[in-house]
């Protein structure tokens, strides 16, 4: 797998020979001091800008592309950084086409071959966190050389390594008795084995984590009165809107959990800002906005909540690209984040908060509808417009 050291603009400063092989290049001169997006012209450049802006710890994206004479390839890009203030990141590039094709072929052969493919896929799944740990350790060394006093980044790196180690242990545990083979559609009719859903049942782990996060929401409610009820209502709204935009029950459940957890990052915001009755100044506003990234780190520490973490990170993005934390737009914003944005806004305007009185239903609905195409996804607003009276009837107004 190819690896490169990037600066904050995405320019390659160091690279290994495997990256040259993936790109079918012969000289490091063809790679160094070039932007990573320019090296992969078949990939939407917004993807690299997004992961450079959003990655905290590590961020992985799989992309189907046709860089080699029109032949479709499956590529995996993983960005690893050492903290929010770092100016250096590592990107790991891997051509996973053969893995996908082999998994599909074996799954079609017979159950025995499916078991072999599952075990093989589990072993490949181990490789990703191990490589991230190696890259993270290298970045920690660079950070310590540059700033030995920066203990926050060091602590963040150690927490990430601990989380990845737990994930490896869980993967090994599933190797003991692989069963319940689950596949997911990948591209153009190809199905792959889904590691997170295959193997032993993860329901008890998810239930225990749900309970822990529920306790965190109760803690948040003591700092921001009404936060717990706000999360419950937003989750219910998001689930209903999800069904109207065509999501399955399981997909709607993911969006609903993301909505329930979307403000958990406010635990990291000082009470002086969280409870301030007046408007925030620019510095305070910037701190408040960081709750999206903090929440994504809390939720994303559990591998089965990676999609919910995306909702927490992106629920304040705007459809026109003027939101935060990344300033992404349109379909680049995860659908869960686009749905939670509407559900969150509806509840924030309709119910009394510390800083405003509740607005009348029709006024709230019209304000959200006017935001279609600017603040909100028009398709999500269309679904909201079908059901906002139903949403309003779900909870009593006090």
């Amino acid at each position: 797998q190819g690896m490169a050291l990037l600066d904050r603009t995405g320019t390659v400063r160091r690279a290994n020979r495997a990256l040259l092989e993936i790109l079918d290049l012969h000289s490091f001169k063809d790679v160094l001091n070039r932007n990573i997006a320019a090296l992969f012209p078949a990939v939407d450049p917004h993807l690299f800008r997004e992961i450079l802006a959003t990655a905290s710890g590590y961020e992985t994206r799989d992309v189907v592309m046709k860089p080699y004479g029109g032949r479709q390839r499956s590529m995996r890009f993983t960005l690893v950084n050492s903290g929010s203030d770092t100016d250096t990141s590592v990107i790991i590039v891997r051509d996973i086409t053969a893995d996908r094709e082999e998994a599909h072929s074996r799954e079609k052969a017979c159950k025995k071959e499916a078991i072999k493919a599952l075990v093989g896929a589990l072993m490949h799944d181990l490789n990703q966190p191990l490589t991230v740990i190696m890259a993270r350790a290298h970045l920690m060394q660079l950070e310590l050389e540059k700033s030995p006093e920066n203990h926050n980044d060091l602590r963040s790196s150690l927490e990430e390594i601990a989380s990845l180690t737990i994930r490896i242990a869980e993967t090994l545990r599933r190797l003991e008795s692989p069963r319940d083979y689950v596949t997911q559609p990948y591209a153009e009719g190809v199905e792959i084995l889904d590691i997170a859903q295959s193997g032993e049942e993860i329901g008890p782990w998810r239930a225990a984590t749900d309970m822990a996060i529920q306790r965190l929401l109760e803690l948040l409610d003591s700092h921001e009165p009404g936060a717990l009820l706000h999360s419950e209502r937003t989750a219910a709204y998001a689930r209903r809107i999800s069904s109207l935009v065509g999501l399955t029950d399981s997909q709607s459940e993911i969006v609903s959990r993301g909505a329930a957890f979307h403000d958990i990052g406010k635990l990291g915001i000082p009470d002086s800002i969280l409870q301030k009755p007046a408007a925030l100044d620019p510095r305070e506003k910037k701190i408040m906005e960081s709750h999206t990234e903090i929440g994504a780190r809390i939720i994303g520490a559990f591998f089965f909540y990676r999609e919910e973490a995306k909702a927490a990170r992106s629920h304040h993005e705007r459809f026109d690209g003027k939101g935060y934390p990344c300033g992404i737009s349109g379909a680049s914003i995860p659908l869960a984040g686009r749905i939670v944005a509407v559900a969150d806004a509806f509840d924030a305007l309709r119910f009394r908060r510390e800083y405003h009185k509740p607005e009348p239903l029709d006024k709230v609905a019209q304000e959200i509808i006017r935001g279609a195409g600017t603040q909100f996804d028009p398709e999500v607003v269309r679904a909201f417009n079908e059901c906002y009276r139903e949403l309003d009837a779900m909870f009593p107004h006090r």
Side-chain angles (χ1 to χ4, degrees):
Q1 52 194 0
M3 297 181 69
L5 196 67
L6 309 179
D7 64 18
R8 64 173 61 252
T9 69
T11 301
V12 177
R13 298 307 181 192
R14 299 181 194 173
N16 67 354
R17 187 160 294 280
L19 184 65
L20 296 182
E21 295 174 2
I22 289 174
L23 293 167
D24 198 22
L25 299 173
H26 304 289
S27 172
F28 286 105
K29 293 180 180 179
D30 297 326
V31 172
L32 298 180
N33 299 318
R34 294 186 64 189
N35 192 278
I36 188 69
L39 295 174
F40 292 91
V43 178
D44 185 347
H46 289 290
L47 178 140
F48 295 109
R49 287 198 290 270
E50 183 180 339
I51 62 175
L52 278 165
T54 63
S56 179
Y58 76 101
E59 183 84 7
T60 295
R61 301 292 178 87
D62 289 355
V63 177
V64 177
M65 52 187 283
K66 295 183 179 180
Y68 308 125
R71 183 188 175 193
Q72 180 171 283
R73 311 294 295 176
S74 299
M75 306 296 292
R76 174 169 293 162
F77 299 95
T78 300
L79 193 84
V80 186
N81 72 20
S82 58
S84 58
D85 297 326
T86 185
D87 56 3
T88 308
S89 303
V90 169
I91 193 164
I92 305 164
V93 183
R94 184 178 171 199
D95 187 334
I96 58 173
T97 308
D99 297 342
R100 302 305 194 200
E101 292 174 349
E102 181 180 4
H104 179 59
S105 174
R106 291 193 176 195
E107 194 227 347
K108 291 294 184 181
C110 63
K111 186 172 183 179
K112 180 179 179 180
E113 289 300 306
I115 294 173
K116 290 181 181 179
L118 175 60
V119 173
L122 284 164
M123 296 308 297
H124 282 306
D125 201 46
L126 283 174
N127 188 57
Q128 183 72 30
L130 285 170
T131 305
V132 170
I133 287 175
M134 180 185 69
R136 197 65 185 268
H138 178 64
L139 288 170
M140 287 170 64
Q141 181 179 351
L142 291 177
E143 287 297 312
L144 286 171
E145 291 173 357
K146 182 175 67 176
S147 177
E149 295 81 18
N150 197 339
H151 299 301
N152 288 333
D153 282 347
L154 178 60
R155 183 172 63 250
S156 175
S157 295
L158 291 173
E159 289 172 353
E160 184 71 37
I161 287 174
S163 174
L164 289 167
T165 304
I166 292 171
R167 178 176 175 179
I168 291 170
E170 283 300 294
T171 303
L172 288 172
R173 185 177 65 83
R174 288 200 296 277
L175 278 172
E176 295 175 359
S177 55
R179 65 186 186 192
D180 300 331
Y181 315 108
V182 180
T183 61
Q184 292 291 339
Y186 185 65
E188 298 185 4
V190 175
E191 291 191 349
I192 61 171
L193 289 157
D194 187 302
I195 301 304
Q197 297 185 57
S198 296
E200 291 188 11
E201 177 61 46
I202 64 172
W205 296 89
R206 193 192 301 277
T209 305
D210 281 350
M211 186 178 298
I213 293 181
Q214 183 68 17
R215 299 291 85 77
L216 290 176
L217 286 170
E218 291 171 4
L219 176 61
L220 175 61
D221 195 67
S222 68
H223 293 272
E224 186 183 37
L228 184 59
L229 289 174
H230 170 63
S231 72
E232 292 175 357
R233 293 191 299 260
T234 304
Y237 303 153
R239 185 195 302 272
R240 180 61 180 132
I241 294 171
S242 296
S243 68
L244 290 176
V245 298
L247 297 188
T248 64
D249 288 346
S250 61
Q251 291 170 331
S252 297
E253 181 67 23
I254 290 172
V255 176
S256 179
R257 277 196 301 270
F261 304 157
H262 74 284
D263 273 344
I264 198 72
K266 287 184 177 180
L267 283 169
I269 306 301
D271 284 357
S272 59
I273 295 176
L274 199 61
Q275 299 175 6
K276 185 176 181 179
L280 302 179
D281 63 34
R283 182 191 67 84
E284 292 169 332
K285 185 178 179 182
K286 191 70 175 176
I287 294 173
M288 176 63 86
E289 289 178 354
S290 70
H291 81 274
T292 56
E293 293 282 12
I294 295 171
R297 286 199 297 272
I298 292 173
I299 301 167
F302 305 95
F303 74 91
F304 42 77
Y305 285 148
R306 297 298 294 276
E307 295 303 313
E308 288 86 344
K310 292 177 183 178
R313 177 184 287 124
S314 63
H315 73 279
H316 280 297
E317 300 288 358
R318 288 174 54 105
F319 201 74
D320 59 9
K322 297 179 180 179
Y324 64 86
C326 307
I328 54 178
S329 63
S332 296
I333 306 170
L335 179 56
R338 285 178 267 155
I339 293 173
V340 174
V342 171
D344 181 35
F346 178 68
D347 189 77
L349 293 170
R350 191 71 181 100
F351 280 82
R352 181 182 300 276
R353 305 297 289 270
E354 289 293 314
Y355 41 85
H356 74 76
K357 296 179 180 179
E359 299 284 354
L361 174 59
D362 288 337
K363 181 178 179 181
V364 171
Q366 287 307 309
E367 185 168 339
I368 290 175
I369 292 168
R370 281 196 302 270
T374 53
Q375 184 173 357
F376 304 117
D377 180 342
E379 183 62 20
V380 176
V381 172
R382 179 201 60 75
F384 165 80
N385 192 31
E386 288 184 26
C387 69
Y388 71 84
R389 295 189 184 279
E390 176 187 343
L391 302 182
D392 196 61
M394 289 181 176
F395 297 93
H397 290 265
R398 293 188 291 271

